[in-house]
Amino acid sequence: VIGRILSGKPIAAAVLQSVTERAGSLISCGIRPQLAFVMHGASPPAQVYAARLERQGERVGIQVARRELPEDVSIAALEAEIAALNADDAVDGILVQMPLPPHLLGIDLSSIIDPRKDADGITIQNAGRLYLGLPGQAPPTALAVMQILHAASVKPTGRHAVLVGRSNVVGHPVAELLLLLDATVTVTHRQTDDLGAFTRQADILVVAAGEPRLITADMIRPGVVIVDAGINVTPEGIVGDVDFEACKEVAGAITPVPGGVGPVTNAVLLRNVVSSAERRGG
Ligand code: NAD
């Protein structure tokens, strides 16, 4: 079948349904799962994101608490805030607003967030556990890609998975997760020569480059399963990294943007928080 659209919405709804049940069990034991969202400056997009997170959290039984720090907060003050959240037994997950402004880039979030509260899967411990194939908390976007493949009944074993992008939050962890499922994995990036020569070999193509329409129909093989994590704001609206209209005529299955990876990522972030809260509950 060509052109199957892998909508993220029903997949996100199923994840949220299970999160709601798990949070409900915790609440009935007196544990209210809580995610602390640490903000530095309240830019309009950050406010919109925070409000959506709060609304979604409320629906599933997770309290989302904003910690609004000033835009010019120092590294030391941000570190102190994270240390306080690490020490606060009522907090299960810590999420820091991204991207960081230039004056905060020197902070080493991967070392200072308690790995047990690492909702975004960015700590050294969780990255190491992923690399070693041990249970831990991986970045939500990477887990969302895997959740979509699973929901679409795509079996990565023995298939050639090609990643476009190797960032620490998408490409690189997805490569590890696919290797754990015995896919044959190729990781491409900005310096890759002749990108199409690799993408045309893919049975599974996962794209997270941040470049609108980087992947065109001539760069894919008929029947490929495409997961597009790209989110690009363009004059025509939000688009992914894949030329969706042309590629859906060639691909076996493809995620739309928006409405693909994004909603599943938000749901998986909340699942990470409820998993942390379950560990608090013993
Ligand atoms: P990043 O800038 O950290 O990494 C981009 C990666 O893509 C790099 O490894 C780079 O080498 C590669 N790349 C860039 N241009 C390329 C090209 N022309 N050819 C081959 N490789 C190229 O970005 P990121 O944080 O991984 O985000 C990537 C995209 O995914 C962005 O559009 C971002 O908005 C989106 N994103 C989506 C979610 C989500 O929830 N859906 C989450 C995080 C990021």
Side-chain angles (χ1 to χ4, degrees), residues 140-142 144-145 163-172 187-192 195 207-212 214-215 219 228-233 239-241 257 260-266:
T141 312
V145 170
L163 286 304
V164 181
R166 59 168 165 194
S167 76
N168 288 337
V169 288
V170 201
H172 206 160
V187 182
T188 69
H189 47 79
R190 213 185 300 273
Q191 305 303 330
T192 298
L195 184 63
V207 191
E211 242 187 67
L214 174 63
I215 305 300
M219 292 170 74
D228 183 359
I231 300 176
N232 306 294
V233 181
V239 302
D241 293 345
V257 178
V261 176
V264 185
T265 299
N266 296 337

Side-chain angles (χ1 to χ4, degrees), residues 15-16 119 138-141 143-144 147 263-273:
V15 171
L16 290 172
T141 312
L143 291 173
Q147 191 80 34
V264 185
T265 299
N266 296 337
V268 169
L269 171 72
L270 295 171
R271 187 176 67 191
N272 275 353
V273 176

Side-chain angles (χ1 to χ4, degrees), residues 13-28 33 59-61 274 278:
V15 171
L16 290 172
Q17 172 66 34
S18 131
V19 170
T20 306
E21 287 162 16
R22 291 165 65 186
S25 306
L26 287 165
I27 291 166
S28 66
R59 245 179 266 142
V60 301
V274 96
E278 284 169 349

Side-chain angles (χ1 to χ4, degrees), residues 155-161 178-179 181-185 201 203-204:
K155 305 267 181 293
T157 307
R159 312 311 303 274
H160 189 184
L178 285 166
L179 272 178
L181 295 180
D182 296 320
T184 301
V185 177
Q201 293 177 32
D203 300 311
I204 299 167

